[in-house]
Amino acid sequence: MTAAKPSPKAGARAGGRGRPSKAKGLDLKETILDAAEGLFARHGFHGVTTRQVASEAGVDTALIHYYFGAKRELFDAVFLRRAEILNQAREASMNAYVAAHDPATMTVEGVIEAFIEPLLRISQDGGAGWKSYFALVAQVNNTPAWGGETMARFFDPVVHQLVETLKTLRPQAEYRDLYWCYQFLTGSMMLSLSETGRIDSLSEGECHSSDLEAVRQRLFSYCAAGFEAVIAKGGK
């Protein structure tokens, strides 16, 4: 009589009792990260336990500790996984924009578009995981206790690249104004990407938060006009 094969979920749970193979380990890590990402996006860091993540992923809690350590380390792993992709895409986009234009033809709006467009494209084409990730980043960006430190750790280099590019384009701008303008830009950007549905009800169906093409048509010029106005005013 042939023994029945264990189910994938049972195999995942069994993996918590020994050292998983390399290939299986990579699959299980991704499964855990996917489960944690969705839960953190819906309930926030403090609203999720490692036991809940394990249940969602179909693995033993011990396996989460084996791969990631404590809950904060798991959260950081979730954050880092897609942050690296975003940073590379935005860096490449801004470099391509600068390479394709001489200083006389560069615009503030063009630089901002190069910075934001990769996020819109990824959100539109990347699937449900990316939607959860952008919702999670929006939460972290508005978390006073440790959100600023987390955002700085994962995203500061590419933000500094944006600021320095704008400074080159508008050398008269004060750095404090450029950083304030980025503060306002990131709020608009992350609210748009989190697709909360707020504008749907507010506009009585005239606008839809999931309509990222409508966002694309407006966000770059909106942010650029704000930059230009603040720079012209000179922080007075």
Side-chain angles (χ1 to χ4, degrees):
M1 183 175 179
T2 304
K5 291 184 178 180
S7 69
K9 181 174 285 192
R13 291 190 179 280
R17 302 188 186 95
R19 187 179 183 88
S21 68
K22 185 175 182 180
K24 183 179 179 182
L26 290 173
D27 291 341
L28 287 174
K29 287 180 72 173
E30 289 298 306
T31 298
I32 293 167
L33 290 172
D34 288 342
E37 182 176 67
L39 288 170
F40 286 136
R42 291 193 297 274
H43 306 296
F45 176 77
H46 294 293
V48 176
T49 66
T50 53
R51 186 178 297 278
Q52 289 172 318
V53 174
S55 177
E56 183 78 7
V59 301
D60 285 334
T61 305
L63 201 60
I64 294 178
H65 294 292
Y66 173 80
Y67 283 127
F68 301 104
K71 185 173 75 168
R72 183 56 196 265
E73 283 70 40
L74 172 62
F75 184 87
D76 286 348
V78 168
F79 219 77
L80 176 62
R81 177 174 61 157
R82 298 190 196 271
E84 290 181 326
I85 297 171
L86 293 181
N87 288 337
Q88 291 168 6
R90 288 192 286 184
E91 181 181 356
S93 180
M94 285 190 287
N95 287 342
Y97 179 80
V98 171
H101 298 79
D102 60 53
T105 61
M106 288 175 61
T107 65
V108 169
E109 183 171 345
V111 174
I112 290 173
E113 179 177 352
F115 180 78
I116 298 177
E117 172 59 29
L119 279 67
L120 291 175
R121 185 180 68 250
I122 289 171
S123 184
Q124 286 179 307
D125 301 338
W130 278 104
K131 298 291 187 183
S132 292
Y133 185 75
F134 285 126
L136 177 60
V137 174
Q139 285 184 33
V140 173
N141 209 19
N142 288 281
T143 300
W146 48 268
E149 176 271 328
T150 301
M151 295 297 291
R153 188 151 41 100
F154 290 105
F155 293 118
D156 268 11
V158 72
V159 174
H160 287 305
Q161 182 183 1
L162 171 67
V163 169
E164 291 300 333
T165 304
L166 291 169
K167 177 67 173 175
T168 300
L169 190 58
R170 296 287 186 268
Q172 77 277 19
E174 297 183 19
Y175 274 110
R176 63 179 178 177
D177 288 335
L178 293 176
Y179 284 113
W180 273 118
C181 286
Y182 174 75
Q183 174 88 341
F184 306 143
L185 176 151
T186 192
S188 299
M189 178 179 69
M190 293 317 306
L191 180 59
S192 297
L193 286 165
S194 62
E195 301 182 33
T196 63
R198 164 68 170 146
I199 196 172
D200 303 52
S201 58
L202 184 65
S203 68
E204 297 183 347
E206 189 73 20
C207 308
H208 300 280
S209 64
S210 60
D211 186 359
L212 294 185
E213 189 56 44
V215 172
R216 179 180 280 108
Q217 294 169 8
R218 295 164 175 83
L219 183 59
F220 309 144
S221 57
Y222 172 84
C223 293
F227 267 84
E228 295 283 28
V230 171
I231 290 169
K233 190 175 180 181
K236 296 177 183 178

